[in-house]
Structures are given as C-alpha cells and as structure tokens.
Amino acid sequence: MTLLTSSSEVVEDAWVRLADDEVVGDHKNVIVSLGCLKQQQDDLTGMPFNLGVEIEPDVDVEDIVVFLDHLQLIVLQFKIFSDGRAFSQARLLRDRYTFCGDIRAVGDVICDQLWFMKRSGFNQFELAKGEDLDLAFQTFDQISITYQVELNQSVAR
C-alpha cells in the first residue's frame, strides 16, 4: 500500500494490520484494533515492535489515552467523506493529549480534504481508490491564508 505524507512524499506502508486473532510473529510494525489492544494490553505494550491502533469514528479518544505512550501510530477512519469525526479525534490527540506519533487517515480519504486533515493533525494519508496522486500533492499548497494557528507537528519523539 502506498501512503502520502504531509510533507508531500510517497512512501510504502511498512505497517501490517493484524486481525484480532492473529499472532504478531516477527513483524516490526503492527496495527491492531482497539478491542485487541484492550484485551492483550500487557502482551502488546511490552513487546519490542512498533505498535499502532486503528479506531472507529465513534470511539472517544479518551479510550486510548492510557495507551498513548506505547503507540507510534493511530489510524483514524473516514467511513464516508462527509463524516468529520476523525478530524475532531486527530485534533484532540494533538492538542489535548499532545500525541506526537503518526496519525493516519484511511477510508474515504479524498484530495479535497487533505489540507484540512493536515491542519487537524494528520500526517499520513491512505488515499481512497481513484484519487489522483498528482492532485493530492497540489492540495497541500492550495490555501495560503488561515485564521487558526497551525498545529506544531514537529515535536521530537
């Protein structure tokens, strides 16, 4: 899978999504569901690999706050492009909880929203099928004047 980053780079996805009943094995970067993370908390947070969690749009980000120190990636879902709950989740993770790992947008991720996603705290984007990568690059530079302060995403890990 190819990802677009907020710095306008295209990178190959180094993360593996695991089913709830799947064993980590020798993977270095794993994404699990929130349910799996809660059930296997001790096993997952104590292992020598990078850990990510994928959460649904209706999940309150407070549900993952206890895990933030163990997470390198949070995957937020856009089930449909008109559902903006993931924008709020990303903003809360960056502002209130000062999460400095990666936040990835997946699902119905369209070019028209990339700039707003970046402003909300996302720094990785898995574009929806059929979206134009060249157009995606252009969207980050389309708006040059804003009224809100941009989030500082250069926090050192």
Side-chain angles (χ1 to χ4, degrees), residues 94-151:
R94 293 288 189 213
D95 283 351
R96 184 178 296 168
Y97 301 111
T98 61
F99 179 70
C100 56
D102 293 321
I103 300 178
R104 180 184 299 180
V106 300
D108 200 9
V109 178
I110 61 173
C111 292
D112 290 350
Q113 294 179 324
L114 291 177
W115 187 85
F116 300 102
M117 288 176 180
K118 179 181 176 185
R119 295 271 305 169
S120 296
F122 289 93
N123 62 340
Q124 293 183 359
F125 313 91
E126 192 176 293
L127 296 176
K129 228 176 213 176
E131 287 297 301
D132 184 349
L133 192 57
D134 292 329
L135 180 61
F137 284 125
Q138 297 170 19
T139 62
F140 290 125
D141 299 323
Q142 283 181 333
I143 301 172
S144 59
I145 300 173
T146 61
Y147 294 107
Q148 296 87 13
V149 175
E150 185 166 2
L151 293 174

Side-chain angles (χ1 to χ4, degrees), residues 14-16 24-31 47-52 72:
W15 291 81
V16 176
V24 173
D26 59 352
H27 299 295
K28 293 181 179 164
N29 305 303
V30 297
I31 301 169
M47 298 299 283
F49 52 77
N50 292 320
L51 182 61
Q72 288 75 41

Side-chain angles (χ1 to χ4, degrees), residues 19-75:
D20 288 349
D21 60 349
E22 199 171 347
V23 178
V24 173
D26 59 352
H27 299 295
K28 293 181 179 164
N29 305 303
V30 297
I31 301 169
V32 298
S33 70
L34 180 56
C36 179
L37 181 58
K38 285 180 176 181
Q39 287 178 343
Q40 300 179 34
Q41 170 178 338
D42 293 335
D43 293 335
L44 292 172
T45 58
M47 298 299 283
F49 52 77
N50 292 320
L51 182 61
V53 66
E54 184 165 3
I55 62 173
E56 299 283 332
D58 61 347
V59 169
D60 186 339
V61 292
E62 285 188 13
D63 290 349
I64 65 168
V65 170
V66 297
F67 304 111
L68 290 182
D69 289 340
H70 303 285
L71 297 173
Q72 288 75 41
L73 171 69
I74 299 174
V75 179

